[in-house]
Amino acid sequence: MRKIDKKWGGKMTLTKQFQDEVATKVTRLLEIYIDEIKGTDQWQQLSDQYANHQVVSQRYHDIYDFIQFNGFYLDREADASRLFICERLVNIETESIRQRGHYRRIPAYNLLECVSEASSRYFENDGVDIGNNHTDGRSIYSPVVDLAIVPTVRCRRSITQPLGRYPLFNGNLIFGELSKLSFMVRFQTEFKRIANNNLRAIGLNYNDDIEHNHRPLYLFAIEIENQINKKHLMGDFINSLMLSRFPVVVVPETKLDDCLEIIKLSKIISDIKDVHVFEILSRVMVLSITQFRQIINRMLETKGLLPLAVEEFR
């Protein structure tokens, strides 16, 4: 293991090394994807059109009404259009967060970032339009996940926080549009394909029939399990399901069968006792560390980025 800064109190575990390297390299990959979209003629045309309009939108539905009734052309199926709308929506949300007293000025943000040890926080009034002159509702406990792909804001003392940890007005629209970007669809497709293969090996199928989590804190919540006890696996399932639109659990090769057994058990309980836990747990994409590494490395390679280097962690 490598020695690291004193703030970590000694040596970093292999799990933490792997986790941090994934966060750094996937963030760089996301930056490249976004920069490529912003380099297109379509993005520039959208920016020019928007700059020429005098109307300032204050709510999500106003953006779409504004576009519809003011001759603002928008191809909703194009990456440039989806990204453009997401950027406008995040601008609105960060301004609302500032006005509710979290910042003196509008915080800087990244539209998508992979965050290690991503904090989270739900509020009693989450998803409700509380207005800029109101305070946030009572905070509710919410766990920290190992890795999250999510819009972020740069907080005081340059601390990165997921945007979703603040109350958002109808914030599901941001996550919905981001999830439809072609490079995000590729993440989903690659994870789902391998996860489904793993489930098929035990006679089951990945559940993609229901829309999961209408108001997530993250797009992807990725829990990396290195504990021996099976009960920790269940906690990872619950965390990723509660907090994200696309829950992922990554386990060592020797623990993959144990993880799949939990889903198998949930299917038996659902069938025999009519307790519909399988419908939920089968939404989690279960991957081995090797499978996860291979997916990420393939995507890094397409953009000329170096593969993950922490090979010892398996």
Side-chain angles (χ1 to χ4, degrees), residues 29-305:
L29 179 64
L30 295 171
E31 289 172 350
I32 292 173
Y33 284 132
I34 291 172
D35 287 345
E36 287 178 347
I37 295 173
K38 290 187 174 184
T40 62
D41 291 340
Q42 187 176 22
W43 174 271
Q44 190 57 55
Q45 290 167 5
L46 286 168
S47 299
D48 291 344
Q49 287 184 72
Y50 192 80
N52 289 333
H53 286 283
Q54 300 301 312
V55 178
V56 177
S57 175
Q58 297 298 320
R59 287 290 180 264
Y60 298 123
H61 62 272
D62 291 341
I63 288 181
Y64 292 107
D65 290 344
F66 167 53
I67 290 167
Q68 180 179 354
F69 296 114
N70 288 275
F72 189 92
Y73 175 73
L74 186 73
D75 178 2
R76 288 293 303 277
E77 300 304 313
D79 273 352
S81 300
R82 294 192 188 283
L83 191 69
F84 186 83
I85 287 296
C86 287
E87 194 166 86
R88 306 282 81 71
L89 300 182
V90 173
N91 276 334
I92 291 171
E93 291 290 9
T94 54
E95 168 61 16
S96 178
I97 291 169
R98 183 196 66 80
Q99 290 190 29
R100 294 201 307 273
H102 291 285
Y103 303 97
R104 293 182 179 178
R105 63 179 186 276
I106 298 176
Y109 67 84
N110 282 336
L111 204 54
L112 277 173
E113 187 172 352
C114 186
V115 182
S116 177
E117 301 292 335
S119 62
S120 64
R121 185 169 53 170
Y122 271 114
F123 294 82
E124 288 182 331
N125 57 350
D126 211 339
V128 178
D129 183 8
I130 62 176
N132 293 335
N133 59 338
H134 291 73
T135 59
D136 299 339
R138 188 174 71 87
S139 177
I140 302 170
Y141 164 78
S142 191
V144 173
V145 299
D146 294 327
L147 289 167
I149 296 178
V150 64
T152 61
V153 292
R154 193 71 61 188
C155 303
R156 300 177 183 90
R157 300 181 300 277
S158 297
I159 298 173
T160 297
Q161 299 281 11
L163 178 67
R165 77 188 301 272
Y166 297 97
L168 304 178
F169 172 67
N170 202 15
N172 59 308
L173 185 57
I174 294 176
F175 292 99
E177 290 297 311
L178 286 172
S179 69
K180 295 173 185 175
L181 291 166
S182 60
F183 61 87
M184 282 287 95
V185 171
R186 184 178 177 194
F187 273 98
Q188 299 164 41
T189 301
E190 289 289 305
F191 287 156
K192 287 177 183 178
R193 179 176 61 84
I194 301 300
N196 202 25
N197 288 343
N198 290 337
L199 285 178
R200 283 176 179 169
I202 59 171
L204 301 175
N205 285 291
Y206 173 74
N207 180 13
D208 201 16
D209 295 334
I210 59 173
E211 183 179 351
H212 170 71
N213 203 336
H214 295 281
R215 171 54 177 93
L217 297 187
Y218 318 120
L219 270 178
F220 288 85
I222 303 167
E223 289 281 49
I224 302 173
E225 182 54 67
N226 62 353
Q227 299 292 329
I228 297 175
N229 198 314
K230 286 184 182 179
K231 69 180 181 181
H232 289 98
L233 288 171
M234 186 58 75
D236 287 337
F237 273 81
I238 299 303
N239 287 351
S240 60
L241 280 163
M242 286 195 306
L243 300 178
S244 70
R245 179 162 294 214
F246 304 109
V248 181
V249 171
V250 179
V251 296
E253 317 304 308
T254 56
K255 290 298 170 186
L256 180 59
D257 288 343
D258 287 347
C259 202
L260 296 174
E261 280 183 7
I262 291 175
I263 302 179
K264 184 84 168 182
L265 172 64
S266 73
K267 180 67 166 70
I268 293 171
I269 291 175
S270 296
D271 292 344
I272 296 177
K273 300 187 177 183
D274 199 30
V275 178
H276 302 294
V277 64
F278 174 74
E279 183 178 287
I280 300 299
L281 290 189
S282 59
R283 289 285 300 170
V284 178
M285 293 174 273
V286 178
L287 309 171
S288 72
I289 292 168
T290 297
Q291 291 168 340
F292 178 77
R293 179 188 285 110
Q294 289 171 344
I295 291 171
I296 298 300
N297 282 346
R298 283 198 297 270
M299 299 185 76
L300 292 172
E301 184 181 7
T302 63
K303 298 303 176 184
L305 298 175

